[in-house]
Each structure stands twice: as structure tokens, then as C-alpha cells.
Amino acid sequence: RFPEHGHYVPQRFADNRIISSKYTIWNFVPKNLFEQFRRIANFYFLIIFLVQLMIDTPTSPVTSGLPLLFVITVTAIKQGYEDWLRHKADNEVNGAPVFVVRSGSLVQTRSKNIRVGDIVRVAKDETFPADLVLLSSDRADGTCHITTASLDGETNLKTHFSVPETSVCQSVSQLEALHGVVECQQPEADLYRFVGRVTVTQRGEEIVRPLGPENLLLRGARLKNTKEIFGVAVYTGMESKMALNYKCKSQKRSAVEKSMNSFLIIYLVILLTEAAVSTILKYAWQSEDEWNEPFYNQKTEQERNSSSILKFISDFLAFLVLYNFIIPISLYVTVEMQKFLGSFFIGWDLDLYHEESNQKAQVNTSDLNEELGQVEYLFTDKTGTLTENEMQFRECSINGIKYREMNGKLVPEGMTGDSPGGSSPHEELLFLKAVSLCHTVQISYNQSESWLGGDPFSHTNSFSFSHMEYYAASPDEKALVEATRRIGVAFTGCTGDTMEINTLGKTEKYELLHVLEFDPNRRKMSVILETPSGGIMLFTKGAESAILPFTTTGEIEKTRLHVDEFALKGLRTLVVACRHFTPKEYIDVEKRLMSARTALQRREEKLQQAFAYVEKNLHVLGATGVEDKLQDKVPETIEVLRLAGIKVWVLTGDKHETAVSVSLSCGHFHRTMNILELLQQRSDNECAEQLRRLARRIKEDHVIQHGLVVDGASLSLALREHEKLFMEVCKNCSAVLCCRMAPLQKAKVVRLLKTSPEKPITLAVGDGANDVSMIQEAHVGIGIMGKEGRQAVRNSDYAIARFKFLSKLLLVHGHFYYIRVATLVQYFFYKNVCFITPQFIYQFFCLFSQQTLYDSVYLTLYNICFTSLPILVYSLFEQLVHPDVLQAKPGLYRDISKNSLLSFRTFLYWTLLGFAHAFVFFFGSYLLMGEDTSLMSNGQMFGNWTFGTLVFTVMVITVTLKLALETQFWTWMNHFVTWGSIAFYFIFSLFYGGIIWPFLHTQDMYFVFVQLLSCGSAWFAIVIIVITCLFPEVMKKVFYRHLCPTSTQKSQVTTSRCSLCPEPRASWAKLGRRFEIR
């Protein structure tokens, strides 16, 4: 119900339909065509096709139109099918049945019919159909439990709350009588941010309550452990947070794609040059009267009077059409198919499958496959990426004394578990209570849900918690609460605003007054509680840098010393503190917090100020040390990556002692490495001076390897004014560790390396929401399927279950994908130079009359049928070296680094080779058959079509065999398409020229191919020319392999020798099973 005041303008809200599809029936054709013709090659061929339609050109419009139609149709079918699947999924979601309150009763309708302001009922285990503000639940306190696994992957139960004024409305009639207005921010994508307020009118009085993320039930989340809830829809359809989070990421382009576009421009210049030269030479030739108008080709009156400029342009365009096939139209579609089909091999690889979690590698984008073979810098998170993210409580410090857990007891350092221990001292008990109360842990009971309305422990007096399981967003919190339970202070549940703990068998209830939520900037969380005795206390826990500066009493220095000791052991540390409030102080605190929480403008800023006011003058209670175990084979993986020439940077939010300790244990830093530090810099000048000192040390120290440790604050200063100096230091270090990093700082570091003059290829790997910005910034982003949700996986390009899988993903798959795509691109340009150059040379022999050398059907099918399959199969299966050898010799990865196979030198080699082969095709045929045209057995003479067909036949065989020479790894499929393509060409030509086809208006090729093959000298010419082209290639390969072999070629020799032994053959067979397509 909205107010009817003049200043209120009703807003138009989106309906609840989810639209993930790109096209509709009406806009598919125009929109898809527009997108496809934005590609340079497609647009270029469209222009050529239109030119052929408009002017008299030497080739039929079909020669350009048919390949273009084929490419456009294949791409349109693929994109149309993908969009149809999206439409199908959308209809399923939008048509789901939901219940809404209308006209005093519950009405069933479809999800798409929900409007903003509708009151929706959701039952247990159902997903929320829109973003709802919780009004009430079947619980008296108006709370409910949900899981957001489908949104951020967190499987823990989260508690959401309704405001007291609406929580009593548990029936449809009460909800119908409810009068209220919800005011909230405009829709935004942040899942964890919501600012609003609800004004409820009761008996003429308006009551205003703040609304935050804890009141909002997100679309896609699922209701758990609650029978039913009622909520009012605030964001619907494409304005819901889930929909806003599924917007397309910025498109990443691989280095190969950029090289491909550069090569296309070069070939476009070659094309324009050939067309211009031909046109100029034509007019130079025609300047002589005898060739301008020979007796056999008299001009018409119209031709004599036509404009010279128009004739020149017309001739230039005609030559452009004649030579246009030098630009390979099918290159894009072949590369797209190769990337799409090739990406399946990552998912099928059993070496990348994690059996314990039943997770296989996942490819979110296939556009970057070859980039995996070009990585120079790897940025990795620590927690959950290098470590298991499975926390185990190890030690703690209480009141300046270190303790460790032994047999369910806290034992002071130096004592044994059998030492006599009386009742826990007051400080110890207060510390344990603080840890068991300051958290956001939820409890799941494995027995019946009868506990929802009563005491979960009413059925037993014994202290057994076997049926109770904790769920927490943070593994640290779960480990700490479980540790206090083992020691004797157990958190037993939260009912409404009451938190209950069991202290050594005695139940205590605390009223929860406020939760000061954790955020990455404050790096701490707090709760304000009313104790059973009526006192008001604040318990807080967080990073030592966020707590200790605000403490005034307690064993501060001893605690700081113990925190450093824990960190040196590689433990994750938290400091615990408390504060007692007088009634007067609490009234002031309550007022400030309430004012900040109800603010509609700058709420976050005001909350930070209020939290800072509350979390000061603290009394330090102690610190905790939790161990996070390293993942399996992390040190070996980091060493292998280093040997492959990849520099590894660790970016973490942990304190520097913990981070250094983990870096040493995982092999990122070596004990022999000279560790340089850039820590706790206070000013720009201080930071610059320290950087200069480090740069001098690197030059002066004769140490092979240096490692650098930087903290977040110093990094901010370094990036502000001294980027070049910082980069100079970093590049001379073999390992860099950045600690105390905020999520955006991680992305800034990646961007700094990415945009440096060398433009290195970067890869970022992480497992949590705080790694998303880094993953999206890097050239390649990899998500680890860890325990911190699925946001990293959703936003990544590839996802793997464990860090150790990186070595195979990069060294094997990256290597294979890069050499395959690089060869595919170069080969495509080579075979098109071979194709069109004879056409250019032929013009010198026909007075530049634009006579075509090949039949139009051959022009059309050359790239589509005769030479397309061998290179596609090569680009899917080629392996220069056995996968086991690539992993055993990581140095081979350096052979393909810096886009070496697509360098200008390599491109020039393939292009010149194409021109050389084209000259051999043309002049070889000309020398062998051109001077004596009466080589037929019946005395018939060869014509121009026979000559062109001979050149074309030699060309198809040579370019196919050239690829066969490049192929190292032969499968039955390679044999089938290589020899099958040549056979198909001969069979097609026999049928095409051997039959009179009624639908063809001219048939220049009738019986040409049959007569050519019946001539022995033609076969002789084919054999001689093919050998002339390929023999130097064979000799070059043999020469280079024996005199100056690359490390890759040496490894091939080793592999081929080993393949004579039985064991490696078993390994090959195993490989066959591993990549088997099911």
C-alpha cells in the first residue's frame, strides 16, 4: 500500500520473468547477422559478394556466396541451438507454480506473474521465486534458515530475520490487514548488500524499522529447517540480485586471436597490392594498340565511350574478386570448432578428476585454451587454494599464557595432559565463552525437528553432542566453536535473540543485542550481549592488526608476542577481546547503532563510524592459533611451474609471519633464498627509499634467487607513485609474496603486471569471493572448487578441484592447445597463398583478361571440403611430445613461450613457403605440359581448364601431404581424413566432370579430369611436382633435427626410443582410455 501524497510518483517495476536468452523469433535473423558481420573476414566476403553481383566479374557470385553462406549458417545454427536451450530453461523457471496472497486468500499462480509488492508464501525446501523481504515465518520469533549454495556455494545455514511488527502476521488474514511501505535502494548486483527500511502503520502510529541483508531472502536461495515463510517481493525478474550477477563478463581475447587479426591485415595488404599491380599492368599492356583492341575482341561503342576512371575501378574490383580467396573465410569457423571440441578433453581427463569430492575439471570458456600454454606469471591465493581450508585448532594464548589442546583439555605450555587441573580460572572461562559466543555459526540437528519449538537438549542430561553439527561461513569459526565444545564450553543454539551455551554441564543464556558483522576492511566481528547476571558486554575477535591497536588493558605485549610465534609456525591467528558497558554507555551505543542502521544515505559509512566508536577501549583476552593444512603435492607443483619459467606470486589476506611460514613450507620461498621485505611503510618517500635499497641489494648480492614480501599498506604506496621502481624490484625476484591484501589490491597487482611494457600473459587462481576481481582481471582465471563457495568458480574461465592439477592443465593441455592452434592458423594462410598465387601468375599469360585458372566449383570447395578436415583433426589430436614427458620435463614449456610459434619470423616462413610452392605448382605444370599441348594419346590438345585442373590437383595433394609431414601423433582419424581428403577430391572430380548435370548452364569441366588422368605424362607431372615441393621440406627437417635440435625434438627422440619398451606402450594405452569419448 503506497502513500497517496502528491510528491510520490509510482515507479514502473520489472515483471518476474527471467530472460537469459539472447534472441527472440523476431530478432534472431537480423541480430545474429549483425553480430556475425562485425567480424572483419565475414564483412569482407560480404562486400566481395556484393561486388560480384553488381559488376561483371571473372568468377560467379556463388564462389564467394556459398562459403560465406556455409560459415554464417553453421555459426547461426550453433548459436540458435544454444539460445533455444536457454529459452527452454527460462520457460521452466518462469512457469514454476507459486502461492501469493491476493484478496484475502492464497492463490496459486506462475512465477512470472509475481509483481513488486506481492506477498509470497514459500514452503520448506523450496527456492525463493524473487528477492523477498521476510515478513513472518512459522516460528514465533519470525526467523528462518536458508542456504545460498546456488548463489555463492556456501552450504552453511544462514539465519534471516523479520521485523517484530510483521513477525506476528502468520496467517493470510493478518497479512491482508497489514499496512506498510518498504523503501529500499535501486537494484544492484552485490549479494551481501541491501539498504532499506519498512514503515508499518499500527493503530494510526507509523513505526520505522531498518532493513539489511539479514532481512532479504534472495532469489535462488532455498528455505531450510522452516515449515513456511511469507515475504514481500522487492526485486523481481531481471532486477533480482541473482539475475544481475549473471550479466556477461568482459570478453577476454587470446594472444593467438590478436596475432590472427594482424596476419589478416597483412594478407589484406597483399591482396590489394596484387589487385593494384594487375590493374596497372593491364592498362600498361593495353596502351599498345594491337593489344588494346585486337581483331578477335572488338570493343562496342558503349565500351569505347565509357569513363576511364570507372573502367579502372571496375577492373580493380574484378581483380579483387579474382584474388579474394587469399583471405581464408573458413579460418574463423575452424578455429571456433577446434576450441569448442578441444575443450572437452579437459573435462574428460581423468588426471584432473578429484575422486574424494567427485569433481572434474570444468571449462567455462573455450576461447582461451591456447593461452594456458603461454602463462608467464601465476597469481595464487593462499587459503583454500594452496591449503585445504580445513581448520584444526592447535594452540591459544589466554591472559599471556600459551595453551595447547590435549585430550579435550587446555594444557599450559610445558605441562602434560595428566597434570592436575582444577576448575578453570575466570580469565580462561571468559576467553572460552567469548569464542563460543562471538560468531555466526548455525546448528543442524540430525534428529527430528521437534527441537524447533523447544529445548534441543530436553531429552538428555548427559553432555553428548553427537547429534549436533555446526555450520559456518568461515572454517575458522567452525574450528574454534568445535574446540570450545570439546574443552567444555559448548554453543548449543540460538533461539530468537537468545544465545545458549553449556559451560561444564551448566546452561547459560545470553540475550543477543547487536551483531557487528565482519567485513574485509575492519577485519573483525563483534557481538553485544546481555549476560545472565544482567551486565552488558561486547565480545570481539579479528586480525591482531585490527584488535590490538584498540586494546587498553590485559596482557597486550605477551599476546602480540604469542601471535607472532603462532604465525611463524604457519598457524592462522585471531585475537579475542572484550569490553564492559555501563547502562549509560550502552544507551549511547544503542542510539548510534540504530541511527546508522536506519540511514538510507551513506549507511555503510555511518555504520563504520558507529562500529569504530563501539570497538575501542578493549580488554585483550587472548589469541587463537588454527592450522590450515597444505593441499597434496603443492610444493612439487610450485617447483614444476618454476622450472617451466612461470613466476609464482602468492597474494593473501593473512598476516605476514603466517604467509611467510606457509610460503616456506609450500616451496614458494626456499630456505637458501634471500628474502627482501617491503613492510609497514608510512610515507611515499620512505617507501621509495626502501625500494631503492632493495634494488641496490639485488644488484650487489651475488645470490641466485631473491624473494620479496610486501604488505597491503606498503603496496598501496608503491603503486601510487613508484610503479616502475616496484616493478623493477619484483621482476628481479623469482618469488613474490603479498600479504594483508584487500580483494581490489589483488586485481591491481595483476593489472600492473598485465599492462607492463613486456605485456606478459598472467594467470590468477583462487577459491573465494575475494579472489573474483583478481580472476577476472588476469588473462586466464582459474577457480578452485573449494569450501569458500562457488563465486570464484562461476567467474573463472576454468575450474579445477585442486591446485596440483595446474601442472597438467598448463604443461600438457596448454602445450597441446597452443601448438595445435598456432599450426592451424599458419597452415590456413599457407594453403590459401598456394591457392591464389597461381591465379595471379596466370594473369601474366592471359593479358590480365581476368580469366580464372580454376573452375568456380573448385574455387568454392577448396576451403570447405578438399582441405578442411585434415587440419581440423590435426588441431584436435596433435601431440608433439608424450604427456608424461611434458610433465617430467617442465622446461619444454619455455619452448613455446612468448607466442614463439606465431612470431613474425614463423609467419614469414609459412607465407614465403606458400609462395614458393605456388610458383612450383604453376611453372612445374607449365614447363612439363605447357610447351607441348598435344600430349593426349588420341592427339587432342590440352586446354586452359586442363592446365588449371592439373595445377589444382598438384596443389590439393601437396598441401595435404605438407600437413602430414607436420603431424607427429598419428591416429586412425588422421589417416582417414588425410588420405580420405585426397581420395574424395579424385572421386568428386570424376563425377563432376564425367556426367552432364542438367542444372548447370555451362559445364567447362566436362570430361577434363577423366582425360587428364588418362594421360601418363600428367601422372608423371603430379609425382615430380609434389616431390619437388616436399623433398626440400623433408631435408630441412632432417638437417635441423640432427644438427641443431630443439629440446622438444630431443624429447621426441627419447619418447620414440622408449616406445620400443613394453611399459611406455602400456602408458600410451592408458592415455587412450583416459581421453576416451563416452
Side-chain angles (χ1 to χ4, degrees):
R1 307 278 167 89
F2 295 104
E4 295 177 1
H5 303 306
H7 65 267
Y8 180 76
V9 180
Q11 187 178 340
R12 286 179 64 86
F13 299 109
D15 61 25
N16 201 39
R17 282 182 300 171
I18 285 289
I19 303 168
S20 64
S21 55
K22 201 172 179 181
Y23 308 105
T24 64
I25 293 174
W26 312 112
N27 72 10
F28 175 73
V29 173
K31 193 173 180 181
N32 188 265
L33 287 177
F34 174 73
E35 285 179 354
Q36 292 207 54
F37 285 120
R38 283 166 67 184
R39 277 190 163 165
I40 296 171
N42 289 353
F43 183 71
Y44 160 78
F45 269 89
L46 178 66
I47 297 296
I48 293 292
F49 177 64
L50 294 175
V51 167
Q52 284 178 296
L53 289 175
M54 288 187 291
I55 66 169
D56 182 24
T57 56
T59 57
S60 162
V62 175
T63 58
S64 292
L66 197 64
L68 180 65
L69 182 67
F70 173 75
V71 169
I72 296 293
T73 306
V74 167
T75 311
I77 289 169
K78 174 179 168 279
Q79 292 177 351
Y81 174 69
E82 287 172 352
D83 205 59
W84 175 74
L85 292 177
R86 286 192 284 266
H87 270 284
K88 195 176 170 186
D90 288 349
N91 292 338
E92 204 173 301
V93 171
N94 295 331
V98 292
F99 286 92
V100 295
V101 176
R102 284 186 186 153
S103 307
S105 62
L106 266 182
V107 178
Q108 184 173 345
T109 183
R110 292 180 182 276
S111 173
K112 64 182 178 185
N113 297 328
I114 295 173
R115 296 290 180 269
V116 171
D118 279 351
I119 295 175
V120 183
R121 191 203 79 168
V122 180
K124 184 188 171 190
D125 289 328
E126 288 181 356
T127 56
F128 301 113
D131 288 351
L132 312 172
V133 166
L134 179 61
L135 295 177
S136 65
S137 72
D138 63 318
R139 299 167 185 248
D141 57 6
T143 61
C144 71
H145 294 304
I146 70 164
T147 175
T148 55
S150 62
L151 295 172
D152 57 15
E154 293 177 4
T155 53
N156 57 297
L157 294 177
K158 297 182 175 71
T159 306
H160 283 247
F161 306 88
S162 58
V163 298
E165 286 71 28
T166 63
S167 62
V168 295
C169 302
Q170 295 184 327
S171 67
V172 174
S173 56
Q174 287 174 307
L175 288 164
E176 183 65 20
L178 181 66
H179 288 254
V181 177
V182 174
E183 298 167 87
C184 59
Q185 63 186 150
Q186 290 298 320
E188 67 167 22
D190 191 339
L191 293 174
Y192 310 105
R193 188 172 180 273
F194 176 66
V195 179
R197 65 183 177 200
V198 59
T199 306
V200 181
T201 306
Q202 286 185 346
R203 294 183 290 278
E205 182 187 353
E206 288 190 348
I207 301 166
V208 180
R209 294 287 182 186
L211 296 174
E214 68 280 359
N215 306 110
L216 186 69
L217 307 170
L218 298 178
R219 178 175 189 143
R222 193 177 291 274
L223 186 65
K224 290 284 186 184
N225 290 2
T226 311
K227 188 179 174 186
E228 66 174 15
I229 63 98
F230 288 96
V232 61
V234 286
Y235 303 131
T236 51
M238 298 309 289
E239 290 184 345
S240 65
K241 288 184 181 286
M242 182 186 81
L244 293 172
N245 267 281
Y246 289 136
K247 287 283 166 72
C248 292
K249 304 195 292 285
S250 60
Q251 190 68 31
K252 294 180 181 180
R253 290 172 66 218
S254 71
V256 169
E257 195 177 334
K258 291 171 189 170
S259 299
M260 203 162 77
N261 289 340
S262 306
F263 297 159
L264 273 174
I265 291 167
I266 293 170
Y267 270 69
L268 199 58
V269 171
I270 293 172
L271 169 67
L272 293 171
T273 306
E274 286 184 349
V277 167
S278 298
T279 312
I280 292 164
L281 287 176
K282 176 178 180 176
Y283 282 90
W285 210 304
Q286 287 182 357
S287 62
E288 297 178 29
D289 290 336
E290 60 177 306
W291 296 119
N292 184 34
E293 197 173 343
F295 71 92
Y296 56 83
N297 191 15
Q298 295 288 313
K299 289 183 180 178
T300 63
E301 198 62 37
Q302 186 182 356
E303 285 175 332
R304 288 195 187 98
N305 297 331
S306 60
S307 165
S308 300
I309 295 170
L310 285 176
K311 276 168 67 183
F312 186 90
I313 293 170
S314 175
D315 281 327
F316 176 76
L317 290 174
F319 279 116
L320 211 61
V321 168
L322 193 63
Y323 305 144
N324 80 82
F325 282 95
I326 199 169
I327 307 290
I329 185 172
S330 53
L331 174 60
Y332 279 113
V333 76
T334 309
V335 168
E336 227 174 72
M337 285 172 70
Q338 188 273 339
K339 288 182 175 184
F340 174 70
L341 296 171
S343 63
F344 286 108
F345 289 111
I346 291 176
W348 289 334
D349 191 346
L350 294 181
D351 285 343
L352 302 182
Y353 170 73
H354 190 241
E355 200 167 348
E356 289 170 34
S357 58
N358 190 29
Q359 288 170 329
K360 62 179 183 178
Q362 185 178 310
V363 179
N364 296 331
T365 173
S366 59
D367 292 339
L368 303 169
N369 292 344
E370 64 277 10
E371 210 80 326
L372 294 170
Q374 295 294 295
V375 176
E376 293 170 64
Y377 282 88
L378 185 143
F379 300 90
T380 174
D381 178 39
K382 181 181 76 69
T383 307
T385 305
L386 299 177
T387 62
E388 289 283 7
N389 208 7
E390 279 183 7
M391 309 302 173
Q392 290 180 320
F393 176 78
R394 289 291 180 232
E395 295 184 62
C396 66
S397 166
I398 305 173
N399 200 27
I401 301 168
K402 278 203 290 187
Y403 292 83
R404 68 182 188 280
E405 186 190 355
M406 288 183 71
N407 303 322
K409 291 180 184 177
L410 279 184
V411 180
E413 193 174 47
M415 296 175 66
T416 64
D418 300 326
S419 302
S423 60
S424 298
H426 172 71
E427 286 283 348
E428 280 185 36
L429 209 53
L430 188 59
F431 172 83
L432 293 171
K433 285 179 181 178
V435 173
S436 59
L437 288 166
C438 184
H439 55 72
T440 55
V441 171
Q442 300 298 326
I443 299 176
S444 175
Y445 293 86
N446 298 333
Q447 300 198 349
S448 68
E449 292 186 14
S450 57
W451 62 275
L452 291 175
D455 179 7
F457 293 104
S458 57
H459 66 285
T460 179
N461 293 322
S462 63
F463 197 61
S464 169
F465 304 104
S466 58
H467 67 291
M468 188 170 72
E469 190 175 351
Y470 293 129
Y471 287 91
S474 159
D476 299 72
E477 281 196 337
K478 185 181 177 188
L480 291 173
V481 174
E482 285 175 343
T484 59
R485 182 174 75 178
R486 290 194 300 271
I487 292 161
V489 180
F491 171 62
T492 56
C494 189
T495 310
D497 291 334
T498 304
M499 294 184 80
E500 190 177 290
I501 60 171
N502 192 306
T503 309
L504 304 174
K506 181 185 170 188
T507 298
E508 294 181 14
K509 292 186 177 179
Y510 292 76
E511 188 180 348
L512 181 63
L513 302 173
H514 288 281
V515 177
L516 279 57
E517 298 84 1
F518 174 86
D519 71 67
N521 298 320
R522 275 174 51 247
R523 298 180 62 79
K524 57 189 168 190
M525 76 151 296
S526 306
V527 291
I528 300 176
L529 304 159
E530 185 178 333
T531 65
S533 59
I536 294 172
M537 286 190 76
L538 170 125
F539 287 126
T540 183
K541 73 169 190 283
E544 101 289 346
S545 59
I547 302 275
L548 291 179
F550 304 99
T551 54
T552 52
T553 58
E555 296 288 350
I556 298 170
E557 289 310 313
K558 283 187 179 178
T559 304
R560 183 179 278 118
L561 188 67
H562 290 164
V563 165
D564 291 343
E565 287 176 18
F566 293 163
L568 286 171
K569 293 177 184 175
L571 302 181
R572 292 166 61 86
T573 58
L574 288 172
V575 174
V576 182
C578 69
R579 179 182 174 185
H580 293 268
F581 291 113
T582 63
K584 187 179 177 183
E585 284 175 331
Y586 179 67
I587 290 168
D588 183 32
V589 165
E590 172 83 10
K591 186 179 172 184
R592 283 173 182 265
L593 288 173
M594 200 62 191
S595 170
R597 289 189 194 278
T598 52
L600 277 181
Q601 302 294 324
R602 296 167 45 228
R603 181 183 287 186
E604 280 85 358
E605 190 183 321
K606 290 177 181 176
L607 277 173
Q608 292 298 324
Q609 291 168 0
F611 290 173
Y613 177 79
V614 175
E615 295 168 329
K616 64 182 183 181
N617 302 327
L618 302 171
H619 171 78
V620 67
L621 294 173
T624 61
V626 174
E627 183 185 38
D628 189 5
K629 232 175 25 172
L630 272 182
Q631 283 187 22
D632 187 30
K633 293 188 178 176
V634 166
E636 293 90 331
T637 305
I638 288 177
E639 185 57 31
V640 160
L641 294 174
R642 187 179 281 121
L643 291 171
I646 298 170
K647 288 192 176 182
V648 180
W649 288 33
V650 175
L651 312 180
T652 177
D654 272 350
K655 70 190 303 285
H656 113 263
E657 291 89 354
T658 307
V660 169
S661 175
V662 172
S663 274
L664 286 165
S665 64
C666 73
H668 178 236
F669 283 170
H670 289 298
R671 300 283 171 190
T672 55
M673 197 180 272
N674 184 16
I675 308 292
L676 309 173
E677 292 185 344
L678 183 67
L679 302 168
Q680 298 174 345
Q681 303 301 303
R682 305 288 179 204
S683 67
D684 280 339
N685 293 336
E686 191 184 333
C687 182
E689 187 54 41
Q690 176 65 3
L691 281 168
R692 289 189 195 100
R693 276 198 297 270
L694 294 177
R696 280 197 301 273
R697 274 189 65 185
I698 289 171
K699 285 177 185 172
E700 291 165 7
D701 288 359
H702 299 292
V703 178
I704 298 170
Q705 290 184 325
H706 294 86
L708 177 67
V709 185
V710 195
D711 65 4
S714 306
L715 184 74
S716 295
L717 292 171
L719 296 184
R720 194 187 304 161
E721 298 287 338
H722 318 291
E723 275 191 15
K724 284 186 180 176
L725 193 54
F726 178 65
M727 282 304 301
E728 186 189 330
V729 172
C730 288
K731 284 178 181 174
N732 288 315
C733 294
S734 52
V736 179
L737 169 65
C738 301
C739 50
R740 289 293 189 226
M741 297 281 283
L744 281 176
Q745 278 185 312
K746 292 183 178 184
K748 278 182 183 174
V749 171
V750 176
R751 192 181 308 125
L752 179 68
L753 259 295
K754 201 171 126 181
T755 55
S756 64
E758 292 83 4
K759 299 278 190 296
I761 302 298
T762 57
L763 180 145
V765 54
D767 73 317
N770 60 331
D771 302 314
V772 168
S773 53
M774 169 176 80
I775 284 169
Q776 289 183 330
E777 184 63 46
H779 290 99
V780 184
I782 295 184
I784 300 284
M785 301 170 192
K787 293 173 182 165
E788 284 194 22
R790 284 290 182 274
Q791 273 189 297
V793 170
R794 277 212 321 270
N795 288 280
S796 65
D797 305 306
Y798 302 89
I800 51 177
R802 286 292 180 270
F803 184 81
K804 66 178 179 181
F805 295 153
L806 262 183
S807 61
K808 178 148 195 198
L809 188 64
L810 299 184
L811 303 187
V812 178
H813 289 286
H815 192 283
F816 286 165
Y817 287 133
Y818 178 71
I819 57 157
R820 290 165 183 171
V821 170
T823 308
L824 184 150
V825 171
Q826 304 277 30
Y827 177 77
F828 248 95
F829 286 114
Y830 155 78
K831 72 186 180 80
N832 277 46
V833 169
C834 289
F835 183 36
I836 286 305
T837 306
Q839 180 79 70
F840 174 64
I841 302 167
Y842 186 57
Q843 295 309 301
F844 288 85
F845 291 82
C846 65
L847 286 182
F848 299 93
S849 61
Q850 297 154 9
Q851 169 63 39
T852 177
L853 179 63
Y854 315 119
D855 182 69
S856 59
V857 171
Y858 286 163
L859 279 171
T860 307
L861 297 183
Y862 176 74
N863 275 319
I864 294 177
C865 295
F866 300 146
T867 59
S868 59
L869 279 179
I871 185 59
L872 179 62
V873 171
Y874 171 94
S875 65
L876 289 174
F877 297 110
E878 176 62 356
Q879 295 179 13
L880 276 187
V881 187
H882 191 278
D884 294 344
V885 177
L886 285 174
Q887 284 185 282
K889 296 184 178 180
L892 296 177
Y893 190 82
R894 297 177 189 229
D895 282 6
I896 58 165
S897 62
K898 299 192 183 297
N899 204 13
S900 59
L901 298 188
L902 279 174
S903 63
F904 186 74
R905 184 180 169 185
T906 319
F907 164 73
L908 199 61
Y909 164 74
W910 278 92
T911 303
L912 293 177
L913 183 70
F915 280 117
H917 283 183
F919 273 84
V920 174
F921 300 155
F922 186 88
F923 289 108
S925 302
Y926 184 76
L927 289 171
L928 287 167
M929 309 194 71
E931 291 301 315
D932 185 2
T933 56
S934 59
L935 289 174
M936 303 292 288
S937 56
N938 61 0
Q940 271 188 305
M941 293 172 67
F942 278 140
N944 67 312
W945 293 117
T946 314
F947 177 73
T949 305
L950 176 62
V951 173
F952 192 84
T953 305
V954 169
M955 179 171 58
V956 169
I957 296 170
T958 305
V959 297
T960 306
L961 293 180
K962 166 62 182 163
L963 186 64
L965 281 179
E966 295 297 318
T967 305
Q968 186 72 29
F969 184 68
W970 284 87
T971 65
W972 67 267
M973 211 174 271
N974 290 83
H975 283 290
F976 178 75
V977 296
T978 300
W979 316 120
S981 290
I982 296 171
F984 173 75
Y985 166 69
F986 277 88
I987 293 165
F988 172 83
S989 298
L990 287 170
F991 273 92
Y992 171 58
I995 300 170
I996 295 175
W997 300 99
F999 51 82
L1000 296 176
H1001 62 280
T1002 60
Q1003 200 160 344
D1004 298 322
M1005 294 297 292
Y1006 181 66
F1007 239 66
V1008 168
F1009 196 70
V1010 177
Q1011 287 184 331
L1012 180 70
L1013 294 188
S1014 66
C1015 173
S1017 56
W1019 285 103
F1020 177 73
I1022 290 169
V1023 172
I1024 290 294
I1025 294 168
V1026 170
I1027 291 174
T1028 305
C1029 286
L1030 297 181
F1031 184 71
E1033 278 292 294
V1034 175
M1035 291 307 296
K1036 185 190 84 105
K1037 284 182 177 292
V1038 172
F1039 178 79
Y1040 274 103
R1041 191 176 281 267
H1042 281 80
L1043 294 183
C1044 47
T1046 63
S1047 50
T1048 302
Q1049 289 169 341
K1050 289 175 186 173
S1051 301
Q1052 289 172 343
V1053 173
T1054 309
T1055 308
S1056 58
R1057 281 175 187 163
C1058 292
S1059 65
L1060 298 172
C1061 311
E1063 281 186 12
R1065 278 206 298 272
S1067 176
W1068 280 90
K1070 182 183 173 186
L1071 182 78
R1073 288 198 297 275
R1074 181 171 298 138
F1075 287 99
E1076 187 178 345
I1077 301 172
R1078 293 177 177 82

